[in-house]
Amino acid sequence: MKLLTLALALTLTLTGRDISEAAPHHGHDSAGYVKVAEDGKGFTRNGEPYLIRGANYWQGMNLGADECSGGDRHRLEKEMKLLVNMGINNLRVMASVEGPDDQPVRIRPSLMYAPGEYNEGVFQGLDYLLDAMGRHGLTAVMTLNNYWQWSGGFAQYVAWIDKNQTAYPFPSENEGWDEFTKYSARFYNDTEIYEEAQSMWRKHIETVISRRNTINGKIYRDDPVIMSWQLANEPQEGPLSWFEETSAFIKDLAPNHLVSAGLESKLDQYDFNRAHTPKDIDYTTCHLWVENWEIYDPSNESSIEDAMTYADDYVHSRAQWAAELNKPIVMEEFGMARDAWIKPGDEDFKYDPETPTAHKDRYYKGIFDNIVTLAKKGQFSGSNFWAYAGLGRATDYPNQYGMVWVADPPHEKRGWYSVYDKDTTVKVIEDYNAQLKALEEK
Ligand SMILES: *[C@@H]1O[C@H](CO)[C@@H](O)[C@H](O)[C@H]1NC(C)=O
Ligand SMILES: *[C@@H]1O[C@H](CO)[C@@H](O)[C@H](O)[C@H]1NC(C)=O
Ligand SMILES: *[C@@H]1O[C@H](CO)[C@@H](O)[C@H](O)[C@H]1NC(C)=O
């Protein structure tokens, strides 16, 4: 490799040609890392505009593990091809899952089953995923923690210190959320355990960022496949100092990568600014959940109009907030159930892979149209839909760990928000990706 480069350089020198002319037209300094554009109005990669044509694929690490560790690399490889065919260039994935593995409704097996103790099979799943993404030209958003319980997350760190997890966000959908939310928030709000919880987590952050990929030998810190390290999935009203200090800590470990907060941005501009103002938070994010926030009712045909109006306003207002901070914005979560209004009263219909997705397709297109319009003006940088289930089906048998790898995390009803390879939604996503791609190439 080295010899060849030298030979080439010599040839070029001898023939009198400027080496920079012969080099690929991107600068060596950028070397494939996704960067924020100098004017703050978007991203670049290799000196070219870069828009996020993304999907959520949180199960990627576990799917990338070998079969003994609950993975399915054969399926992962096929899904990578399908994603690329759809025009996807970015996946938001987990780079953390806390155990122990005997706790209810979480991803199993976990990556870190006890503080500082790793399941190497699962870690190699992350290696495999990143390597596969590199081969397919994709970039990754790496989620380092979770406010919610389905991957362990904040509550598990609190429980490790407490030695007693008393709060779970169930048994029923509406019970236990308040108690759980308070428990989870202790991770960054309880001064008595703050230091211990943060230092336990920071050890994980260091471990992941400094890991050497067992498949391709790259250290994660030096891998341009990684676009961004994300503090957590949906941190709720965390202290400003936590956003500042953690983002600075990560930036120090991985100066070539971006850092993001993972905020839903559902509350208000004050909340948005608290998470996104710190100088080491490179870009802003928002999530939109019309059914969960009770704007949309999948069993009511006309409530789609409410969802459309709400989404228009949401995308524009968050774009405006981001513009005021002069940072890019990505809508990194949004989803909709299948057409339950076709059979009102049959709640389970919305989870069935056979049920059509007319509302969902219209809703996706509405959001995409808004993003494309704003992206043309440098006011939006793309999205990650929630979420890609690919070849999995809600009706599949669970594997030896009790997992079905669709796109709905273990605490949610299988099939609720999954996008399958055969769904008509795929075409809507393809069309949008093609529009963004055309904008990148303009
Ligand atoms: C766990 O916490 C609950 C509620 O505070 C308490 O009732 C219970 O005794 C605790 N269990 C242990 C093993 O400490
Ligand atoms: C955390 O504490 C802050 C005050 O420092 C408070 O505003 C916020 O609501 C708390 N977060 C949660 C989720 O309880
Ligand atoms: C269905 O949604 C529409 C639009 O929001 C609303 O006016 C109507 O009351 C809803 N119907 C039912 C039965 O909830």
Side-chain angles (χ1 to χ4, degrees), residues 234-246:
E234 300 189 345
Q236 309 282 310
E237 297 177 82
L240 171 66
S241 56
W242 179 78
F243 289 105
E244 281 173 344
E245 287 161 15
T246 317

Side-chain angles (χ1 to χ4, degrees), residues 295 297 300-306:
I295 293 139
D297 172 1
N300 178 346
E301 183 171 3
S302 49
S303 72
I304 183 66
E305 306 304 334
D306 299 334

Side-chain angles (χ1 to χ4, degrees), residues 104-380:
V105 289
R106 346 183 153 172
I107 300 174
R108 277 194 303 266
S110 56
L111 174 62
M112 184 167 78
Y113 54 85
E117 305 283 336
Y118 288 89
N119 181 328
E120 177 59 21
V122 176
F123 229 149
Q124 289 184 13
L126 189 55
D127 295 342
Y128 192 91
L129 172 69
L130 289 174
D131 184 67
M133 288 176 68
R135 283 187 271 116
H136 288 93
L138 305 174
T139 60
V141 175
M142 306 279 274
T143 312
L144 291 165
N145 211 332
N146 196 344
Y147 192 87
W148 307 113
Q149 172 276 344
W150 51 271
S151 68
F154 288 12
Q156 185 55 52
Y157 281 97
V158 177
W160 273 327
I161 295 168
D162 238 16
K163 314 260 189 296
N164 183 6
Q165 179 161 1
T166 54
Y168 277 102
F170 36 80
S172 86
E173 250 175 66
N174 303 314
E175 271 173 49
W177 278 101
D178 282 353
E179 201 196 335
F180 173 76
T181 301
K182 285 191 199 116
Y183 190 80
S184 201
R186 286 178 57 199
F187 176 69
Y188 49 37
N189 260 5
D190 181 342
T191 49
E192 289 196 6
I193 65 162
Y194 186 83
E195 287 299 325
E196 194 178 349
Q198 300 307 311
S199 89
M200 206 182 262
W201 180 41
R202 283 182 176 204
K203 280 188 192 126
H204 171 66
I205 296 175
E206 280 180 312
T207 302
V208 183
I209 292 182
S210 60
R211 179 172 172 89
R212 186 181 288 279
N213 188 312
T214 54
I215 310 285
N216 60 29
K218 283 183 197 155
I219 297 183
Y220 280 23
R221 180 186 46 236
D222 302 324
D223 190 351
V225 166
I226 296 170
M227 160 176 158
S228 162
W229 296 100
Q230 185 156 95
L231 268 55
N233 177 50
E234 300 189 345
Q236 309 282 310
E237 297 177 82
L240 171 66
S241 56
W242 179 78
F243 289 105
E244 281 173 344
E245 287 161 15
T246 317
S247 57
F249 176 75
I250 296 171
K251 196 54 122 184
D252 206 41
L253 293 172
N256 286 321
H257 292 145
L258 305 179
V259 182
S260 50
L263 204 77
E264 261 179 311
S265 301
K266 118 180 118 173
L267 288 181
D268 52 22
Q269 197 171 3
Y270 175 81
D271 180 57
F272 183 89
N273 286 347
R274 179 175 42 203
H276 293 132
T277 311
K279 70 171 178 22
D280 293 311
I281 299 288
D282 293 293
Y283 64 98
T284 72
T285 58
C286 63
H287 302 180
L288 175 52
W289 287 109
V290 282
E291 182 183 344
N292 308 57
W293 301 350
E294 297 177 354
I295 293 139
Y296 174 67
D297 172 1
S299 67
N300 178 346
E301 183 171 3
S302 49
S303 72
I304 183 66
E305 306 304 334
D306 299 334
M308 300 299 290
T309 309
Y310 192 89
D312 286 351
D313 179 62
Y314 193 84
V315 171
H316 281 90
S317 58
R318 272 55 184 179
Q320 177 57 37
W321 297 353
E324 286 176 30
L325 294 181
N326 200 33
K327 292 185 182 185
I329 182 160
V330 178
M331 182 139 155
E332 55 163 31
E333 277 190 19
F334 62 94
M336 184 171 273
R338 310 179 85 86
D339 291 339
W341 49 276
I342 293 178
K343 272 197 188 177
D346 182 355
E347 172 72 3
D348 283 345
F349 202 60
K350 71 177 180 181
Y351 306 114
D352 187 337
E354 299 303 318
T355 302
T357 56
H359 273 192
K360 179 174 182 164
D361 295 357
R362 188 180 155 199
Y363 178 67
Y364 269 47
K365 185 171 182 318
I367 289 174
F368 290 157
D369 286 348
N370 278 310
I371 292 179
V372 169
T373 303
L374 289 166
K376 283 182 183 157
K377 299 185 276 185
Q379 292 167 6
F380 225 98

